[in-house]
Amino acid sequence: VKEDGSLSLADCLDEFEKPELLDEDNKWYCPQCKDHVQATKSLQIYKAPLVLVINLKRFKHGKR
C-alpha cells in the first residue's frame, strides 16, 4: 500500500492469496475425524491463462 492509500495490482494479488480463517458458519468437513472443524483456506494462481480477466471490487474490507 502506497502512502496515498492506493494499491497496485500486485498488492491485490498478494491479498487474494492470504490464508482466510473460516468462521463458525463455514466449517470444513474433515474426512479423517468425520466432523466439521474450523479451518483456513487459501487460493493461489499457479499458471495464468492467455487471457486473464480480473474483477476488482471498489470497497475496503476490514474490521470495524
Side-chain angles (χ1 to χ4, degrees):
V1 180
K2 296 181 183 81
E3 289 180 16
D4 64 359
S6 63
L7 296 170
S8 68
L9 181 57
D11 294 331
C12 294
L13 290 173
D14 287 341
E15 277 296 314
F16 176 78
E17 291 184 348
K18 283 187 180 177
E20 175 185 353
L21 181 63
L22 298 176
D23 60 16
E24 291 290 322
D25 296 331
N26 289 323
K27 288 186 174 181
W28 177 71
Y29 180 75
C30 175
Q32 293 178 341
C33 62
K34 309 276 192 245
D35 195 14
H36 286 88
V37 296
Q38 196 168 19
T40 58
K41 75 172 185 176
S42 62
L43 301 170
Q44 293 180 335
I45 299 172
Y46 289 103
K47 183 178 177 184
L50 292 176
V51 177
L52 177 65
V53 178
I54 298 175
N55 180 19
L56 300 176
K57 297 181 179 183
R58 294 174 31 158
F59 62 88
K60 198 179 226 181
H61 181 24
K63 297 178 182 177
R64 294 179 187 186

